[in-house]
Amino acid sequence: MSSKQHETIYLEDYQPPAWLISHTELRFELEEEQTLVRAQLRIQANPAVADKRKPLELFGDEGMELSRLCIDGQILEASDYQREAGCLRINNVPESFTLECVTRLLPHENTALEGLYKSDGMFCTQCEAEGFRRITFFPDRPDVMSIFRTTLVADKARYPVLLSNGNPVDTGEDGEGRHWVTWDDPWPKPSYLFALVAGDLALLEDHYTTTSGREVALRIYAERKDLDKLDYAMQSLKNAMRWDEEVYGREYDLDIYMIVAVDFFNMGAMENKGLNIFNTSCVLAHPRTTTDQGFQRVEGVVAHEYFHNWSGNRVTCRDWFQLSLKEGFTVFRDAEFSADMNSRTVKRIEDVTLLRTAQFAEDAGPMAHPVRPESYMEISNFYTLTVYEKGAEVVRMLHTLLGAELFRKGSDLYFERHDGQAVTTDDFVAAMEQVSGRDLSQFKRWYSQAGTPRLQVHDDYDPQSGEYCLTVRQSCPPSPGQDHKQPYQLPLSVGLLAEDGTELYTGMLELTEEEQQFRFDNIARRPVPSLLRGFSAPVKLEYDYTDEQLLMLLRHDSDGFNRWDAGQRLCIRLLQEQMLRYRDGLAMSCSEALVIAWRQLLTDESLDPAMVAQCLRLPSEAQLGELAERIDVTAIHEAREFMRKALAQALEQEWLQAYQRCDTGDDYTADAEAIGRRSLKNLALSYLMAAGREPWLELARQQYEQSDNMTDQLAALTLVAHSEFRETADELLQAFYQQWQHESLVMNQWLAVQASDPTEGALQRVNSLAQHPVFDARNPNKLRSLIGAFCGQNLASFHAEDGSGYVWLADWILTLDRQNPQVASRLLTPLTRWKRYDQGRAAQMQAQLQRMMDTAELSADVYEVVSKSLV
Ligand code: B3K
Ligand code: ZN
């Protein structure tokens, strides 16, 4: 048994704060061996809370040394306060007073990367969700908002740049080579938005004029060697600022907007007020070192963090159960931004693929929780696909139900009504209710019920009367703590197509009941329904399509998303058939109808290459697993590989032509059109490689050697590295290492390519990579590239029948848990799905979870996931 008991926090126990902090003044003495933090808090009893005799309780990490505590200048004796389990309690305090507190921190020893830590020699912070309590004692909860004034003192030569939130208001020299800067943030904010950075950083500067004429300095900081990789982030930032003004009427509210790139970071980026801190992987971009995917991620994350300035910072969360209030909304906002900047349909396809593959799996697993969870042990475990991606789908449904105009009125009302407040998802929905006059109480079940709803659709057609009827049944499987679900309100976007593809009806149906019928008159012939267009709700839709109907939709549906989806449905069905044949020891085969349909797509030069590439991509092994009752890793892998090869060989000439057509030799640009062309080109190359003939290996090698951009170089490398041509694979991997060993982000890709290589001996390879000098087990990006890629993308190897992959992962988790619990807990996810696998694998996965459970001293992060998975 784990010796430590971890407490569960419940939404229903929420109490408003007893104490408020109007002003927070911080002084950081940053030194090599330690940092002293002097905090002065102006504290008042909260007039809205009745019980004024409550002691003052502040959060503070157990490991933090308290070296001085004063109230209104009076030093407190040890007997005046108690420290226990992450809390400091002071009895008998006045109604209003100043608390002074000095803490001593050891940032260089902070491997959890929460609170104040060092990344490659620079100081930086990560406070969301509860990192501020590792810096000083504080009511570290989002509903306590305070005005911060921060002074940083540090050695000038080592740390010439000293940054915090807001505007710099004073600066000076302190003797002995030390200097200081004071920053003032005029906007009250919760402590999770506090940030500081101290380092020797280079800077790209630009400026932006808001619609109302405010001048904003834009500064992106990074290590000097990365200065040439900041232009794209800067352009993305300016685009995002303009977009938020045009689409949401939201302007920026400070004189400076800063982004700092750091290499050691647990997540993608953080929206600290006026001082975003970014994982280098989400801000640095250069054609030579960054793939198209990387560019799009930079654009999306820069926008996401910027949009938080309103959806998150100006209006924040009352408590962490409301996390989706800011995250779901902001993901919806950044998705719409990316859709406007690039191809809307492609963006939608990518997002839905992520949702179907990973969020649906989360919703079906032991950690399933509602978009607004009801309880947690460790809030870091709830920065999930459900809170983010499903949360965004919930906001999207509101947008669909209300229409763009009312939704905008609702968001205006929400921002205006709650500016400067810490609120709830109910407040967000209330604003939408008020502007639309609609009762959204049923809709709110999307926030409180977990699980992926299922829609079963049947139809009837009466040729005599011309009446067509759709019957829709909705249900939702049980999830932890929720056995029965109430029906949801959701928009079901529908088209009815004649057999030749003519559109007979287009519209939006609204579901509210468990079973509902929708009738359509004057339909001359039995139509083919195009259902859930644009993925209008995050559900699993079942309708008994024939292959012919799917092929017709793939060709003619006016909804681009559903055109793609029809093709995917067909592929999934055909793959599932082959999986059964493989299991029964029968020969697998590839449908001729599919080959014909793909040939048509591949040779039609009028089509958008990006869409063609999406349509000709087989669903991933992970997605096929999510769809399976019981996941048969080997059958999925074999069936998919068979199909890939069959389609490769059947269309070899067409793949080559498509490759040549898309290989334009133009200079690299990161716009949607060029990205689409490269994606079709590299997809074609992947099928050519799957065809397995020498000339295509040469073509891949040529692309590897001649490309001037990382997208093409890495695509070629990956294909060769994952092929049976081991000699060339080793040669190119070695060449790649030689070329890029000094580019940390490129080396992450190099690790990931090898970790996801499904060929024989994968575990041995990752084991030796873990000893390689470019690998650093303290850097979360490296861990994700090696461990995350092996366990998440190399499914056949991770799930090796002897259980070696599971033991390997569990060993890592146990080591990492002592160092960085957040990262350990996240990497653990694949093991939590043990119930979905065959008995042999399930038992071995469960045994590894049990081994972790039996370990003394698990962090709350890992304990929560392990214990819930074992139930
Ligand atoms: N709000 C941060 C996430 C912080 C996670 C802390 N464990 C990034 C974002 O969603 O924008
Ligand atoms: Zn966010």
Side-chain angles (χ1 to χ4, degrees), residues 356-503:
R356 281 177 171 164
T357 307
Q359 196 279 324
F360 282 12
E362 186 168 276
D363 242 351
M367 285 293 289
H369 53 277
V371 168
R372 186 193 56 207
E374 246 124 62
S375 68
Y376 59 77
M377 287 181 197
E378 172 51 62
I379 186 56
S380 298
N381 285 329
F382 288 80
Y383 286 75
T384 57
L385 288 147
T386 301
V387 166
Y388 276 66
E389 311 302 325
K390 186 178 179 179
E393 294 298 321
V394 171
V395 176
R396 178 177 298 277
M397 284 190 286
L398 281 172
H399 187 273
T400 308
L401 288 169
L402 268 61
E405 211 172 301
L406 277 180
F407 183 87
R408 167 66 194 271
K409 278 205 175 110
S411 73
D412 283 352
L413 176 63
Y414 167 74
F415 286 129
E416 275 145 36
R417 181 188 274 172
H418 299 297
D419 191 6
Q421 297 177 2
V423 300
T424 64
T425 55
D426 284 342
D427 293 316
F428 182 75
V429 177
M432 295 296 164
E433 281 185 316
Q434 180 159 339
V435 296
S436 64
R438 295 182 61 143
D439 175 0
L440 294 170
S441 45
Q442 182 184 3
F443 183 82
K444 287 205 267 185
R445 289 177 189 153
W446 282 107
Y447 288 97
S448 59
Q449 295 186 154
T452 307
R454 176 173 169 208
L455 301 189
Q456 289 163 292
V457 182
H458 300 279
D459 57 355
D460 278 304
Y461 177 65
D462 180 356
Q464 248 80 56
S465 65
E467 186 186 80
Y468 177 71
C469 176
L470 280 175
T471 305
V472 188
R473 256 194 74 78
Q474 58 161 309
S475 60
C476 183
S479 49
Q482 295 183 335
D483 292 336
H484 301 286
K485 314 287 167 85
Q486 301 289 313
Y488 292 87
Q489 177 180 21
L490 63 97
L492 180 65
S493 172
V494 168
L496 299 180
L497 275 71
E499 259 159 42
D500 64 353
T502 320
E503 188 126 342

Side-chain angles (χ1 to χ4, degrees), residues 216-287:
V216 184
L218 308 178
R219 298 182 185 155
I220 307 186
Y221 293 89
E223 285 186 48
R224 200 151 284 115
K225 67 176 172 55
D226 293 323
L227 200 50
D228 62 338
K229 305 186 187 75
L230 300 176
D231 298 323
Y232 193 72
M234 185 63 87
Q235 189 55 49
S236 302
L237 175 59
K238 291 195 273 185
N239 293 345
M241 294 177 87
R242 189 63 70 209
W243 188 89
D244 213 17
E245 291 174 355
E246 287 171 4
V247 181
Y248 281 85
R250 297 294 122 195
E251 277 195 17
Y252 187 59
D253 56 5
L254 285 168
D255 301 336
I256 313 174
Y257 191 86
M258 295 174 282
I259 292 178
V260 181
V262 306
D263 208 32
F264 284 63
F265 206 69
N266 283 343
M267 311 268 294
M270 177 63 211
E271 70 266 23
N272 314 301
K273 184 81 190 186
L275 176 57
N276 288 186
I277 298 182
F278 269 60
N279 189 321
T280 44
S281 70
C282 294
V283 59
L284 305 183
H286 188 283

